[in-house]
Amino acid sequence: MARDVWDPRHLPDLRGRRYLVTGSNAGLGFFSCLQLAGAGAHVIMSGRNPTRLSRARAAIVAQVPDADLETLALDTSNLGSVRAAAATVRGRIGLNGVLLNAGIVHPPKTRQVTLDGHELVIATNALGHYALAGALLPALAAARGRMVWLGSVSTTLFSWDPTDPELVHGYTPWRAYVQSKVATSALGFEADRRLRAASVPVDSIVAHPGYSLGGRTRRIAGVSAPTRRKRLFSSLQAPISQSKERGAWSPVRALVDPDAEGGQYWGPSGFITGSPEQVTPSKVTVDPDVGARVWHYAEHATRTEWPYLKARKVRLR
């Protein structure tokens, strides 16, 4: 499908294709699943809260009665949970794509540490996804699939170099969020460089949702229920914001557009709002030195090396 006629409301036929979305119970993850399911894809909805995940699945079925869905328990802040979920998914043949969406948008006021001993925000937004993508690499290679990492417009506005990714010193909620998104984007671009060098047929793409607000998102029982106060506050930002549903357009296009390629960055055409298109990433996220440093950090923090050789053998078979 040519890029100049892409319609996010009418995706290509995705029947027979399998996708995993992290953080599926609400927000961007939910609407990504809804859009994929509406196009006929088999969608693996994952999240850390089984009850909310079940409600989200029911909400999609209410709108897409023939939706092909399954749910999977997955907490990206917990490496044990990540490995268990990956083991469940990779036991099957082929995975066309994984949307690494789950994350903390509103970090805690004070620094918190996960069970694995890592700062909560970067563990949830970046480290868990690094480990998950690596564990799913052979399954993705078998289908010549792709991984999409969720970036953020904040990396352009505040391009902090994550020299202290665990924020042992100088923690603030905003810095924790931005650094985690710089790290996530840098991992996505570094993954593209490494996958190409290893001749693994998996695309690594980064996409951001612009400025997407829950208060501008339609009400969906069990999933999205913005308060009147939240809607009022969001309405004041209407000219510079969009709904979570539209925010999902860019990552979904990066995931399914047959013309999209590894190493690209996708986002709204109007920088923070608009139709999905290829855009320019911030310099810090595509800096090879930053990418290599963040990769080294993630590799050691998760004790996970990506199985390039195994993925390449899958491709050769």
Side-chain angles (χ1 to χ4, degrees), residues 215-253:
R216 296 208 61 204
T217 302
R218 60 191 173 101
R219 183 181 298 275
I220 297 177
V223 175
S224 172
T227 62
R228 291 181 61 184
R229 180 178 180 181
K230 190 172 185 178
R231 284 208 180 279
L232 176 61
F233 178 74
S234 296
S235 68
L236 299 176
Q237 304 178 77
I240 58 168
S241 65
Q242 61 185 3
S243 67
K244 296 282 187 178
E245 191 163 11
R246 292 196 174 199
W249 285 355
S250 294
V252 167
R253 182 172 186 181

Side-chain angles (χ1 to χ4, degrees), residues 158-239:
F158 303 92
S159 297
W160 278 313
D161 184 343
T163 53
D164 178 18
E166 297 277 356
L167 287 178
V168 176
H169 306 287
Y171 176 93
T172 67
W174 179 242
R175 186 171 187 180
Y177 175 74
V178 176
Q179 283 206 148
S180 75
K181 285 303 180 180
V182 170
T184 299
S185 300
L187 286 170
F189 292 123
E190 180 66 13
D192 173 67
R193 289 187 283 266
R194 294 180 181 240
L195 291 170
R196 288 177 186 272
S199 298
V200 176
V202 174
D203 291 325
S204 178
I205 304 173
V206 183
H208 79 86
Y211 188 36
S212 303
L213 301 177
R216 296 208 61 204
T217 302
R218 60 191 173 101
R219 183 181 298 275
I220 297 177
V223 175
S224 172
T227 62
R228 291 181 61 184
R229 180 178 180 181
K230 190 172 185 178
R231 284 208 180 279
L232 176 61
F233 178 74
S234 296
S235 68
L236 299 176
Q237 304 178 77

Side-chain angles (χ1 to χ4, degrees), residues 114-136:
T114 67
L115 294 174
D116 299 300
H118 301 296
E119 189 276 313
L120 178 63
V121 182
I122 200 163
T124 305
N125 295 5
L127 294 181
H129 285 135
Y130 163 85
L132 179 66
L136 295 177

